[in-house]
Amino acid sequence: MRHPEDGSPLAEVAERNGEWRRKVGFGPMTHLLLLLLLGPVAADITDGNSEHLKREHSLIKPYQGVGSSSMPLWDFQGSTILTSQYVRLTPDERSKEGSIWNHQPCFLKDWEMHVHFKVHGAGKKNLHGDGIALWYTRDRLVQGPVFGSKDNFHGLAIFLDTYPNDEATERVFPYISVMVNNGSLSYDHSKDGRWTELAGCTADFRNSDHDTFLAVRYSRGRLTVMTDLEDKNQWKNCIDITGVLLPTGYYFGASAGTGDLSDNHDIISMKLFQLMVEHSPEEENIDWTKIEPSVHFFKSPKDNVDDPTGNFRSGPLTGWRVFLLLLCALLGIIVCAVVGAVVFQKRQERNKRFY
């Protein structure tokens, strides 16, 4: 991946992130080493034990407040209804929007959210919509056009999109994607958020006969999304990106929306776990509530080339790939120069013998 063009909203995000990195002493080489060290390592999703479960940020059965318009620790709005078995964000009806939001801001630097959800309805192939969004954002309980919540948000969004609005797309839906925003970016429904997507994958979670789960893990700038959709009790990798900066003090939530097409969008549980991660003294001294949501390495929107798997066939170069490419080019030039010098010297010796 390469840096976005100057003057674009993505460039502004990257520039602010660069300012933060300079303040804490992260130079390009330091970031390169971190990427090389962290990149190949698979994220270890927690086994879901209760030792580090943060109940103040978790939605777990049995729910309290069934049949009322509120519940402890969580607020909901719009079409959302609370039953004894699930929180239904939208019914399988047209033009509905609903959401549920945690009361408490989260001040954990490293966390992992497990979401038990269900998307189902009477609609046949390509006759259902629109999907669920999971949020970690500065603002809460604000209705809007992005799966029932506000556009130009500050924070993180994971979209579980069931309907392809872009008829030309080669992606296979349902599709999961990730977006980080500092308030300057707008989600483009007509392109299914392709221009602001960081990464994504195809995920067959709709009308499943068994339980469907998603895990979101954020630790030390690394964001991982994994799914358990095949009733195998195993996590499957969906998204894994580094260079992500998210502040503390934001709110967790979930929302859903329907339009001309519809589905039941249900949340059964949301469990937040604290990850026990050691941070350097420099990181501990940072005011994490002041960090701007950002990603250091962005794909340029013009380089988003679809393939049926939801990946990118030819993604732009990241900074470390550019560094390695330049290093290889330099070594190639040195080798060519040495070979050229040897050849020239041999020719000179041959010419002297001839005369």
Side-chain angles (χ1 to χ4, degrees), residues 218-233:
Y218 177 69
S219 180
R220 303 200 70 179
R222 184 175 182 180
L223 181 68
T224 308
V225 177
M226 304 192 81
T227 60
D228 180 2
L229 309 175
E230 300 173 355
D231 201 24
K232 295 181 179 179
N233 198 28

